[in-house]
């Protein structure tokens, strides 16, 4: 690989930003087309990452390493493995869709598109960084365009929402930054070398107490970002006020930075403490699942409903990560992608309704299927994907997470499964009130069915919803080796590998006994 | 060679309906109604034809070789968790495939006439084909997770079809209720699959059942009991048993052919299929078997008692379905899986017939469903009447019609291998069945006409494409019982490869075992015929001879009548117990926990920082006099400190 593919993907949007800067801000159509073109190109050049990805190694791939600030040992060090691969693809996939969904934005188009493209660079940057300092730079960089997107192009309470979002996230990041600096010095003490390289950090042998404080610091940053209950209240506000594209990116990609952080930092760096925290985090996740679903049930604003459903869905992701086994973690990664697709699509759909009626209140709709049947089909498919209907994408992730959790702790899985029932309740009730029954509002009688542009936006997502649901192995096989390696790392360091209870031979099974925890990386033989 | 070609044929059975769905779903709107119906019926017809080929291929083989599996591709694989997309053909699955595609075909044809004026014509057939595909997937899959997709997918089709006329609030409510109640059941099913995986490290039928029949698990094993109970929770949802039956009567909001296909003949029997499929596991758990039999018997009686007083023609049939499904579970619960499946088959014939018949009545009466506004229709719609009569006689259990033999076998087995309580409950339910079905028949077709005048003018017999399916089904309902006539054992011999495995688990001391009715079948026949005739006689007395009697009785036993009429107030109780509290808790979480406590403290922190800073501001006013004042205060403070320090 001679071409610096990852750098290209990361920084091409910034080149797009410079191009747009040269343009006249009155030339809106040109600006829109340019940003669409740039983000689409980025998506297409990110595809080789998937096709050329070597799923037989857990080593980082497409690695690039340059010295950046040598005096501090800071490097421009990027690369991906089977865990970050899909999140990058998710980001590059959702960006052109978001740009296309912003066609109707007329206020400061130039600045808007600059923010969108900067956001893409920051998102991809977070997922490719292997240098903790670089990671932090991208992590913070992402805040600025998002802050502006909500604060300038948002709804009536945009200032409150965007400041809340910004402060909340920064409050968490401060601790994370301290912890990164801490790791830097701990690493120096151990190896006599100044570096921020994450892979070097992985080799550190930290005492439980040190792990504990560092874990707490990272935990705060990531838990706010996910967001886990009870750190979630910035999310509904941010979503409600954000423009459609902002919500799509926020839910689709930004939230995954939190869950990704847990997998990339907390688990391999602080395995013992992470292990000790399983009950705490699992219960937070479970409360999030049920609580988010219940609160979603009684929302009368569509966007708030989807926002609270995100809290519920990301509870599943967290639960799977802390199941500490391959099904749980692979399920979580799949679920991150799925949530990005289905919740992203839900926000797009709510946005389309808003463009037509300038309201998001459920009570203002009703009976729309009669007027806009094609739109209704897409809405139905996305709703079912969000509910986790088998055959569509949502099911695969949720089911693997639950299998993984069930293997480690039956009680957790049993309670969490009830969240699936609640998901059906709030989504179908919402769908019924918006799309079914008779049309009660005069305004809804004149609605236009789905436009060509909207079709272009939704068809790729719906295609992936089916594809992942029917052939999820196309994702799972790429992540096997990396996830197994992660589990080995945890196991070796924390010395908490438990026995694989009669994995192969059911005859040796004792009945009446259900295996307790097992952190087993199930290495694959051949496939 | 035979195997190979056969397995390709099996894949075709699934392929046709999904192709039909795709074509009608994508371009159906632009096609002529005729074309749409050709595509829909043609695809199911081809499926049925292929199924008969596979069936005859299977018959050519010796019984113990009648099992084929084919792996299409690996669906979900993560670590040791493997779920394949694979198909399995054996006597049980091919039998159900024949029912699904055969009766499905008849109902598709019937729908051409029934739905011909509906604007959503192509949408209807698209859903109906999708349902056929999903149901076939449910019975033809070779592992639990594939059954689960089929299971949820038929639930989706049911949702879409119940809510087919989505502009009606009652229809969209009923659709939502069906999906959610089924989800509650699926919650148990999903956990059951996970426990199966944890216990057996596979979810493949063959491997699980093989491992279970090797004697690794003693009878009464806790794990197996949990697995079977969890799976049964799923079955109570899909097959409308206590306590999750409430969705089925409401499901009658859907078009009537849908009620016939999904909510009588096929989908609702999925739970029975599941238990029959897992007979090896169920036989290992006497506790679960007792639960299954008791729930089945209780549901049979409970639903039949509600059916006694309902006035909506479709609701009577719906409660009747719930009740008949109870019989099937009772049979499975006492280990008589063959009897359960046999009743499933005959029930599919006569209940599909009755629903389609009721559809023909409703069609003739321009949509009227209240039996109080019917009466005397037998001369106006003679074909419907005659076929409906055959269905009624079949369900009531009069020899030699289909329902007689299957119900009789269940009664016999429940006495021989269950106990007297099961038998008496089932016998009383059987009396009720005969009564409410003939009540329905008399009220609809006999006596004086109570039809409203303007409806009377449009009264007409249904077109050929509706009556021919009725006639075919009436034929099947008449002779279908001979599949399981005592002494011949056609059905039990055919199914024996599926159920024989659990026979080996027979452990001395355990009361349950697999068997084929060997008690005193002829005495039982006489008794059950007598019961049915009694029910018919009472109905005749009440609705033909003395039509004023029902009213008197209703007033005399007003309390009982009201309780029955209001379906024991179960819906109201569920609303009070589950729906309302959930909503209240949700509002509490939102308004109190989220807004006041969490956001309150977040904003509180922000405000207190703001307050602190605004007070701190007084330290830096920029006025020299203030600073001078602070210096003086500081000096005094230090001096005092120093003085005190001494």
């Amino acid at each position: 690989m001679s071409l610096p593919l990852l750098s290209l993907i990361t920084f091409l949007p910034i080149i797009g930003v410079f191009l747009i800067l040269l343009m006249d801000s009155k030339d809106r159509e040109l600006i829109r087309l340019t940003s669409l073109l740039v983000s689409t190109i980025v998506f297409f050049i990110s595809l080789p990452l998937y096709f050329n990805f070597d799923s037989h190694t857990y080593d980082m791939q497409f690695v690039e390493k340059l010295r950046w600030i040598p005096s501090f040992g800071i490097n421009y060090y990027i690369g991906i493995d089977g865990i970050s691969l899909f999140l990058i693809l998710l980001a590059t996939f959702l960006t052109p869709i978001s740009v296309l969904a912003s066609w109707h934005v007329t206020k400061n188009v130039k600045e808007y598109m600059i923010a969108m493209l900067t956001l893409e660079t920051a998102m991809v940057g977070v997922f490719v960084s292997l240098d903790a300092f670089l990671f932090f730079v991208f992590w913070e960089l992402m805040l600025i365009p998002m802050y502006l997107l909500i604060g300038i192009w948002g709804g009536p309470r945009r200032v409150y929402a965007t400041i809340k979002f910004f402060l909340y996230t920064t409050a968490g990041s401060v601790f994370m930054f301290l912890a990164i600096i801490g790791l830097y010095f701990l690493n120096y003490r151990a190896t006599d070398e100044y570096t921020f390289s994450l892979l070097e950090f992985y080799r550190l042998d930290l005492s439980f107490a040190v792990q504990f404080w560092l874990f707490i610091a990272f935990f705060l940053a990531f838990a706010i970002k996910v967001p886990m209950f009870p750190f979630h209240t910035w999310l509904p506000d941010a979503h409600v006020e954000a423009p459609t594209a902002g919500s799509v990116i926020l839910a689709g990609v930004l939230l995954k930075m939190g869950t990704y952080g847990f997998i990339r930092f907390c688990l391999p760096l602080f395995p013992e403490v992470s292990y000790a925290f399983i009950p705490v985090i699992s219960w937070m996740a479970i409360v999030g699942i049920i609580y988010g679903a219940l609160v979603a049930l009684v929302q009368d604003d569509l966007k708030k409903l989807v926002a609270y459903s995100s809290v519920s869905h990301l509870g599943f992701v967290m639960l799977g990560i802390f199941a500490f086994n391959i099904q749980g973690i692979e399920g979580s990664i799949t679920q991150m992608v799925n949530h990005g697709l289905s919740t992203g699509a839900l926000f797009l759909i709510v946005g389309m309704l808003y463009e037509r009626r300038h309201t998001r209140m459920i009570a203002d709709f009703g009976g729309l299927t009669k007027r806009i049947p094609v739109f209704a089909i897409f809405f139905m498919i996305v709703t079912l994907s969000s509910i986790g209907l088998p055959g569509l994408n949502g099911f695969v992730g949720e089911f693997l997470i639950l299998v993984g959790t069930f293997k480690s702790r039956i009680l957790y899985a049993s309670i969490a499964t009830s969240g699936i029932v609640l998901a059906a309740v709030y989504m179908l009730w919402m769908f019924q009130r918006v799309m079914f029954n008779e049309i009660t509002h005069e305004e809804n009688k004149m609605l236009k069915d789905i436009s060509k542009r909207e079709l272009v936006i939704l068809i790729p997502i719906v295609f992936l919803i089916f594809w992942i649901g029917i052939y999820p192995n196309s994702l799972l096989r790429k992540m096997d080796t990396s996830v197994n390696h992660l589990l080995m790392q945890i196991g070796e360091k924390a010395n908490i590998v438990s026995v694989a209870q009669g994995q192969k031979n059911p005859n040796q099974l004792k009945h009446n006994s259900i295996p307790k925890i097992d952190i087993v990386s199930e290495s694959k033989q051949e496939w | 060679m035979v195997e190979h070609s056969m397995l390709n044929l099996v894949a075709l059975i699934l392929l046709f309906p999904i192709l039909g769905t795709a074509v009608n779903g994508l371009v159906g709107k632009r096609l002529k109604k005729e074309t749409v119906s050709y595509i829909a019926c043609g695809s199911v017809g081809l499926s049925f034809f292929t199924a008969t080929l596979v069936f005859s291929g299977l018959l050519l083989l010796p019984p113990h070789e009648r099992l084929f599996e084919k792996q299409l591709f690996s669906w979900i694989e993560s670590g040791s968790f493997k779920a394949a997309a694979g198909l399995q053909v054996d006597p049980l699955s091919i039998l159900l495939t024949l029912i699904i595609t055969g009766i499905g075909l008849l109902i598709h044809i019937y729908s051409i006439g029934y739905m011909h004026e509906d604007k959503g014509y192509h949408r209807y057939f698209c859903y109906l084909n999708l349902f056929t595909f999903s149901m076939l997937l449910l019975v033809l899959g070779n592992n639990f997770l594939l059954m689960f997709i089929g299971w949820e997918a038929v639930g989706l089709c049911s949702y879409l079809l119940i809510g087919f006329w989505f502009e009606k609030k009652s229809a969209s409510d009923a659709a939502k209720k069906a999906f959610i109640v089924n989800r509650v059941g699926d919650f148990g099913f999903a956990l059951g699959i996970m426990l199966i995986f944890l216990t057996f490290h596979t979810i493949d039928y063959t491997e699980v059942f093989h491992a279970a029949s090797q004697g690794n698990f003693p009878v009464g094993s806790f794990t197996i009991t949990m697995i079977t109970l969890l799976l049964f929770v799923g079955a109570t949802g899909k097959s409308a048993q206590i306590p999750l039956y409430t969705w089925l009567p409401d499901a009658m909001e859907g078009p009537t052919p849908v009620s016939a296909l999904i909510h009588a003949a096929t989908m609702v029997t999925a739970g029975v299929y599941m238990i029959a499929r897992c007979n090896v596991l169920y036989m290992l758990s006497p506790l679960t078997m007792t639960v299954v039999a008791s729930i089945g018997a209780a549901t049979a009686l409970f639903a039949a008692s509600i059916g006694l007083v309902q006035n909506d023609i479709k609701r009577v049939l719906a409660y009747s379905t719930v009740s008949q499904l109870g019989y099937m579970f009772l049979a499975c619960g006492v280990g008589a899986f063959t009897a359960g499946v046999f009743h499933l088959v005959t029930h599919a014939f006569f209940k599909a017939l009755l629903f389609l018949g009721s559809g023909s009545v409703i069609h003739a009466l321009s949509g009227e469903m209240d039996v109080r506004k019917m009466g005397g229709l037998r001369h106006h719609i003679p074909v419907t009447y005659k076929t409906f009569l055959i269905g009624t006689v079949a369900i009531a259990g009069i020899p030699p019609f289909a329902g007689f033999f299957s119900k009789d076998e269940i009664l016999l087995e429940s006495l021989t291998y269950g106990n007297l309580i099961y038998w008496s409950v089932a016998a009383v339910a059987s009396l009720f069945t005969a009564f409410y079905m003939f009540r329905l028949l008399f009220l609809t077709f006999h006596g004086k006409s109570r039809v409203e005048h303007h409806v009377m003018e449009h009264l007409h017999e249904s077109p050929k494409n509706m009556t021919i399916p009725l006639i075919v089904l009436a034929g099947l309902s008449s002779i279908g019982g001979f599949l399981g006539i005592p002494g011949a054992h056609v059905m039990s011999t055919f199914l024996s490869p599926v159920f024989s495995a659990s026979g080996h688990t027979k452990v001395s001391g355990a009361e349950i075992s697999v068997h084929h009715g060997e008690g005193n079948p002829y005495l039982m026949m006489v008794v059950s015929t007598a019961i049915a005739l009694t029910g018919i006689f009472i109905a005749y007395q009440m609705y033909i001879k003395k039509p004023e009697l029902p009213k008197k009785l209703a007033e005399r036993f007003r309390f009982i009548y009201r309780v029955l009429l209001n379906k024991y107030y179960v819906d109201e109780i569920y609303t009070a117990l589950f729906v309302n509290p959930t909503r209240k808790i949700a509002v509490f979480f939102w308004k109190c926990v989220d807004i006041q406590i969490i956001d309150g403290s977040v904003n509180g922190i922000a405000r207190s920082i703001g307050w602190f800073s605004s007070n701190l501001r007084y330290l830096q006013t920029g006025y020299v006099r203030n600073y001078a004042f602070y210096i003086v205060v500081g000096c005094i403070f230090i001096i005092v400190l120093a003085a005190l320090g001494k």
Side-chain angles (χ1 to χ4, degrees), chain B residues 110 313 352-362 384 387-388 445 470:
Chain B
Y110 179 95
I313 185 168
L353 168 61
L354 288 170
F355 265 116
L356 294 187
S358 76
S360 181
V361 171
I362 296 164
T384 308
T387 50
F388 200 90
F445 294 101
L470 287 177

Side-chain angles (χ1 to χ4, degrees), chain B residues 334-622:
Chain B
V334 295
F337 298 107
T338 312
V341 174
F342 181 29
H343 197 55
L344 187 161
V345 174
T346 57
H347 177 256
F349 296 153
F350 60 70
K351 193 49 76 59
L353 168 61
L354 288 170
F355 265 116
L356 294 187
S358 76
S360 181
V361 171
I362 296 164
H363 194 75
L365 295 179
S366 323
E368 186 54 63
M369 296 190 204
D370 193 332
V371 285
R372 288 169 296 188
K373 293 178 186 164
M374 296 180 187
L377 293 176
R378 67 190 144 145
H379 302 301
H380 301 282
I381 42 174
V383 181
T384 308
Y385 169 66
K386 281 173 201 153
T387 50
F388 200 90
L389 178 64
I390 293 175
T392 312
V393 174
I395 190 177
I398 300 295
F401 294 93
F404 168 74
F405 292 105
S406 54
K407 199 194 280 178
D408 182 60
E409 199 177 326
I410 292 175
L411 282 170
L412 180 65
E413 304 266 1
S414 68
L415 185 61
T416 325
Y417 299 99
N419 53 44
L420 197 60
I421 301 176
Y422 290 156
W423 183 84
S424 353
V425 171
V428 175
S430 171
L431 178 73
F432 285 0
T433 309
F435 172 79
Y436 68 65
M437 281 312 300
F438 272 87
R439 167 181 177 263
L440 188 66
L441 184 83
F442 292 148
L443 283 175
T444 311
F445 294 101
H446 293 257
K448 261 189 245 150
S449 172
R450 299 176 297 279
V451 182
E452 281 166 23
H453 185 65
H454 63 97
V455 176
M456 204 67 193
E457 286 169 3
H458 300 287
L459 196 56
H460 58 285
E461 179 61 285
S462 300
K464 279 250 162 39
N465 47 24
M466 286 168 71
T467 49
I468 289 173
L470 287 177
I471 294 165
V472 175
L473 283 169
L476 288 169
S477 304
S478 311
I479 56 164
F482 290 95
L483 287 170
I485 193 166
H489 297 312
V490 181
M491 185 78 99
S492 58
T493 317
F494 180 62
L495 289 173
S496 61
V498 184
F499 299 131
S500 62
S502 56
H504 301 311
T505 59
K506 220 183 278 179
V507 180
S508 58
E511 283 177 33
I512 46 174
S513 56
V514 172
H515 32 70
H516 316 288
E518 289 139 8
N520 188 345
Y522 301 104
L523 178 65
M524 186 60 75
M525 281 183 172
V526 175
V527 175
S528 56
T529 312
I531 292 172
L533 288 174
T534 314
I536 297 169
F537 177 72
I538 300 173
Y540 181 74
Q541 284 296 321
M542 281 175 70
Y543 294 97
I544 299 285
K545 281 273 175 192
K546 301 171 189 158
E548 73 287 351
L549 197 60
K551 217 173 189 178
K552 277 188 196 157
L553 281 173
E555 268 169 31
R556 180 86 186 279
F557 302 99
R558 196 152 67 190
F559 177 72
I560 299 176
Y561 178 73
R562 289 209 63 80
V563 168
L564 289 180
L565 191 65
N566 287 298
K567 308 153 226 160
Y568 296 96
Y569 298 98
V570 173
D571 275 319
E572 288 78 5
I573 294 170
Y574 282 1
T575 308
L577 276 182
F578 304 111
V579 180
N580 290 340
T582 308
R583 200 175 295 180
K584 274 188 192 134
I585 291 172
V587 170
F588 170 77
F589 277 166
W590 178 33
K591 297 274 183 195
C592 278
V593 180
D594 227 51
I595 294 181
Q596 291 188 354
I597 300 178
I598 299 177
D599 244 7
S601 38
V602 170
N603 290 334
I605 291 171
R607 257 196 302 278
S608 55
I609 292 174
W611 177 85
F612 182 70
S613 314
S614 58
N615 283 313
L616 209 60
R617 203 179 56 184
Y618 293 118
L619 288 179
Q620 204 161 19
T621 53

Side-chain angles (χ1 to χ4, degrees), chain A residues 86-137:
Chain A
F86 293 102
L87 296 170
I88 294 163
L89 291 174
L90 187 64
T92 57
F93 174 74
L94 285 179
T95 309
I97 285 180
S98 304
V99 169
L100 204 54
S102 311
W103 227 247
H104 63 282
V105 172
T106 45
K107 178 177 160 191
N108 304 336
V109 178
K110 187 172 173 180
E111 288 77 6
Y112 183 93
M113 289 303 172
I114 288 174
M116 288 296 291
L117 290 176
T118 317
L119 201 55
E120 183 170 21
T121 291
M123 293 188 297
V124 176
V126 165
F127 295 126
V128 297
S129 296
L130 296 178
D131 183 286
F133 190 85
L134 188 68
F135 173 85
F136 188 74
V137 169

Side-chain angles (χ1 to χ4, degrees), chain A residues 377-405:
Chain A
I377 295 170
F378 282 95
F379 196 1
M380 187 85 239
I381 293 171
V382 172
T383 304
L384 293 170
S385 148
S386 181
I387 288 175
L389 189 85
L392 303 181
N393 62 345
F395 173 73
V396 181
E398 271 175 6
F399 194 78
L400 280 178
I401 288 170
L402 289 170
V403 167
T405 315

Side-chain angles (χ1 to χ4, degrees), chain B residues 178-199:
Chain B
F179 196 97
I180 290 168
V181 173
N182 269 296
R183 262 276 156 131
V184 177
D186 294 353
F187 162 78
F189 191 176
L191 287 177
I193 296 175
M194 291 174 210
L195 193 55
I196 288 173
F197 172 65
L198 201 63
T199 314

Side-chain angles (χ1 to χ4, degrees), chain A residues 403-414:
Chain A
V403 167
T405 315
F406 199 88
K407 270 172 78 177
S408 54
R409 290 212 176 26
I410 289 181
L411 177 69
Y412 294 172
S414 309

